[in-house]
Amino acid sequence: MSASLRIPDYSPREITVGRWRITALADGWLRLDGGAMWGVVPKAMWSKMTPADERNRILLALRPFLLRDGEHTLLLEPGVGDRWSEKELDRYEIDRRDTLEESLARVGVDPSEITHLAASHGHWDHIGAAVVERDGELVPRFPGIRLALPRVEAEMTLHPDPVRRGSYRPGDLAPLDERGLVRRLDDGEAILPGVRLHILGGHSDGSSVITIEDEEGREAAVFWGDVCPTSHHIQPPYIMAYDINAGLSYQVRSRWFERAAEEGLAGLFYHDPLVPFARLEQEGRRYRALPLG
Ligand SMILES: [Zn+2]
């Protein structure tokens, strides 16, 4: 049996897309159940790609991305944050050795320089860092900066039903919403010029990908969010058990993987412990990930 992955050292990796310099940051690590991360894929297959620990969990990155064009500084996917109980820290083995602040400092960016915030969906491991606790009160981590996310995801985060309650925490968004700092986006809307949200659904009601255009206005990179959590989840049926609508996940993943391979899109992966950037290549009926950056 192969041993579970050890947490790798953080090093800021970068690619350039059009006028955007895209930097892979870090907001710690966590471990989630391998079976839940791989759905119907048998352990005999997934454990070769993502080895499990003694509690059957696999190591996942929590990786915000920083997009800079000299005018805007966009933090894409704030991160998991630090509002966690001992029980949760243990269950998910949330490891905070490389925090958002620390990784920003490593690339010479002060949090006050961030001008825009966006998220692909409202799950706690993606937006928990948008809010901090100060003197017993929950307040925005980036004062005065709006968080852009899909409209339906804002509603699900603020008012999760019993089925969704395990994945959303109202406290991740309510402190922003009370201050008018939630920007609710519809499908196809631009977050910034050349940075566009595509609401796909499947993983969650409004789960989305975010594309980044090159100088010619061609979509040249895609932030996968949880539509494709790691560079190993690149075959359309490799759908997480967490996904709320697996049939829709299959459709949107098939369509977008085909497009990403055909157009050579640079992919940005939030949860892959080792590969922040990769493009896809089609080989017969399967896809292969080619790391970049
Ligand atoms: Zn998610």
Side-chain angles (χ1 to χ4, degrees):
M1 208 177 113
S2 49
S4 173
L5 270 186
R6 295 258 298 278
I7 292 177
D9 289 335
Y10 170 70
S11 67
R13 313 244 301 263
E14 283 190 355
I15 61 168
T16 301
V17 175
R19 65 176 199 282
W20 297 99
R21 188 170 155 200
I22 305 175
T23 311
L25 300 173
D27 193 38
W29 306 84
L30 89 171
R31 290 180 191 270
L32 293 178
D33 183 82
M37 281 302 293
W38 282 98
V40 298
V41 179
K43 185 174 182 183
M45 279 173 70
W46 63 250
S47 61
K48 288 183 194 139
M49 297 182 273
T50 53
D53 68 8
E54 70 286 350
R55 289 162 77 179
N56 206 47
R57 301 169 308 181
I58 63 172
L59 178 67
L60 296 166
L62 298 158
R63 180 179 296 119
F65 288 89
L66 194 68
L67 275 68
R68 288 174 282 178
D69 71 346
E71 190 183 338
H72 313 94
T73 300
L74 165 65
L75 179 66
L76 194 53
E77 225 77 338
V80 75
D82 36 32
R83 293 172 293 112
W84 300 101
S85 67
E86 287 302 319
K87 194 173 139 195
E88 290 160 330
L89 291 173
D90 173 64
R91 180 186 301 158
Y92 304 118
E93 210 167 313
I94 297 172
D95 187 303
R96 305 279 298 146
R97 74 184 64 182
D98 306 299
T99 64
L100 181 59
E101 267 87 2
E102 285 160 6
S103 61
L104 280 169
R106 281 282 296 276
V107 299
V109 173
D110 188 86
S112 66
E113 292 172 52
I114 288 168
T115 60
H116 291 76
L117 286 172
S120 63
H121 64 305
H123 286 169
W124 52 256
D125 55 325
H126 293 249
I127 66 161
V131 166
V132 282
E133 192 178 331
R134 295 224 165 93
D135 305 321
E137 199 199 346
L138 297 183
V139 296
R141 180 182 297 262
F142 302 97
I145 306 296
R146 289 193 299 168
L147 172 66
L149 80 170
R151 184 179 300 279
V152 62
E153 288 295 320
E155 296 326 308
M156 291 298 161
T157 308
L158 292 168
H159 311 287
D161 67 10
V163 177
R164 293 164 176 81
R165 208 158 282 158
S167 305
Y168 295 98
R169 298 188 304 175
D172 289 339
L173 205 59
L176 279 77
D177 200 37
E178 286 156 11
R179 293 165 174 81
L181 295 177
V182 176
R183 183 178 167 205
R184 291 165 168 82
L185 297 176
D186 295 309
D187 182 34
E189 231 179 293
I191 296 163
L192 277 168
V195 181
R196 193 173 301 280
L197 184 86
H198 300 267
I199 299 177
L200 306 180
H203 171 66
S204 64
D205 302 85
S207 183
S208 59
V209 296
I210 293 162
T211 54
I212 301 143
E213 292 175 6
D214 64 14
E215 305 282 13
E216 284 81 50
R218 193 186 67 101
E219 291 181 321
V222 57
F223 171 65
W224 288 111
D226 273 352
V227 170
C228 189
T230 79
S231 68
H232 299 288
H233 285 78
I234 53 172
Q235 315 308 333
Y238 291 3
I239 295 164
M240 291 186 273
Y242 297 113
D243 285 24
I244 201 130
N245 184 338
L248 182 57
S249 288
Y250 185 85
Q251 284 175 33
V252 301
R253 288 160 51 82
S254 300
R255 180 156 47 90
W256 275 81
F257 292 169
E258 189 180 342
R259 181 178 170 203
E262 268 175 25
E263 300 178 19
L265 304 183
L268 281 54
F269 294 92
Y270 184 73
H271 283 307
D272 194 300
L274 301 173
V275 177
F277 304 105
R279 63 185 181 82
L280 302 191
E281 195 175 71
Q282 198 156 9
E283 251 185 0
R285 289 178 60 197
R286 291 182 65 79
Y287 292 97
R288 211 156 61 98
L290 304 169
L292 305 166

